[in-house]
Amino acid sequence: MCRPVSDEEFLRKEIDAVEHQAAKRIDPGTGALTISIAVLALLVSLMLPWVGQHSGLRVVLGESAMFLPRLFSFFALGVGVLGSGVTLAVRRWGLAWVCSLGLFAGSIIGVLSIWTQQTTTSNKTIGPGPGIGLIIAVIAVVVLLVKWVKIAASRPPQL
């Protein structure tokens, strides 16, 4: 036979369930404003030149033959804009870590994108040089990386 559950046991189980759900959520606090501004900077950078006279939007659409800037644009839009928006909306720890890792990879690819636009071989310029939009986008991705790592790593230890 089942013994009846007392009110105290029922309340304890309910409180434990609420605590377990709350432990999975993040509270970005004022970091959400910084994340929003960095996402806005990423979106604005798409209108500015990235590679030569090609804007960031043209790089995303494949009008530029440069591989690394195009790969960076996918990381910046996919993880930086879309991932950050979804993570701020649902506020889950797991998504905060996904954003952190994706933005880490994106920041490395972004710095390499700038570097490949500046390097030369045998005094011949390989790339047309990084545009201001690409530089702004890389800075915005690095800012997003710092904020998401800070938020993801701030989870208190489970008891």
Side-chain angles (χ1 to χ4, degrees):
M1 291 214 164
C2 293
R3 69 177 179 92
V5 178
S6 70
D7 289 339
E8 290 176 12
E9 288 178 40
F10 178 75
L11 285 174
R12 173 52 46 204
K13 287 182 181 179
E14 191 172 341
I15 290 170
D16 288 342
V18 169
E19 182 182 1
H20 184 66
Q21 284 294 88
K24 293 181 182 179
R25 300 181 64 81
I26 60 171
D27 182 19
T30 58
L33 179 63
T34 307
I35 290 169
S36 300
I37 291 171
V39 167
L40 180 64
L42 268 174
L43 292 173
V44 168
S45 75
L46 288 175
M47 300 302 132
L48 299 171
W50 276 29
V51 177
Q53 295 303 317
H54 293 286
S55 68
L57 191 58
R58 287 184 169 184
V59 172
V60 170
L61 297 175
E63 293 182 21
S64 172
M66 300 296 178
F67 174 72
L68 282 175
R70 186 159 187 225
L71 183 62
F72 170 70
S73 70
F74 292 139
F75 271 97
L77 287 177
V79 181
V81 175
L82 196 65
S84 293
V86 169
T87 304
L88 283 177
V90 298
R91 298 176 181 243
R92 294 288 184 182
W93 288 104
L95 287 176
W97 277 112
V98 167
C99 281
S100 298
L101 295 174
L103 288 166
F104 177 73
S107 64
I108 291 173
I109 294 170
V111 170
L112 286 174
S113 297
I114 292 174
W115 178 67
T116 58
Q117 297 302 305
Q118 294 176 335
T119 56
T120 60
T121 301
S122 301
N123 297 324
K124 295 180 183 176
T125 303
I126 292 176
I132 188 71
L134 181 60
I135 294 169
I136 291 172
V138 171
I139 291 170
V141 165
V142 170
V143 168
L144 284 171
L145 168 65
V146 169
K147 281 310 209 181
W148 279 121
V149 167
K150 190 175 180 181
I151 290 170
S154 69
R155 183 176 184 175
Q158 297 293 329
L159 297 176

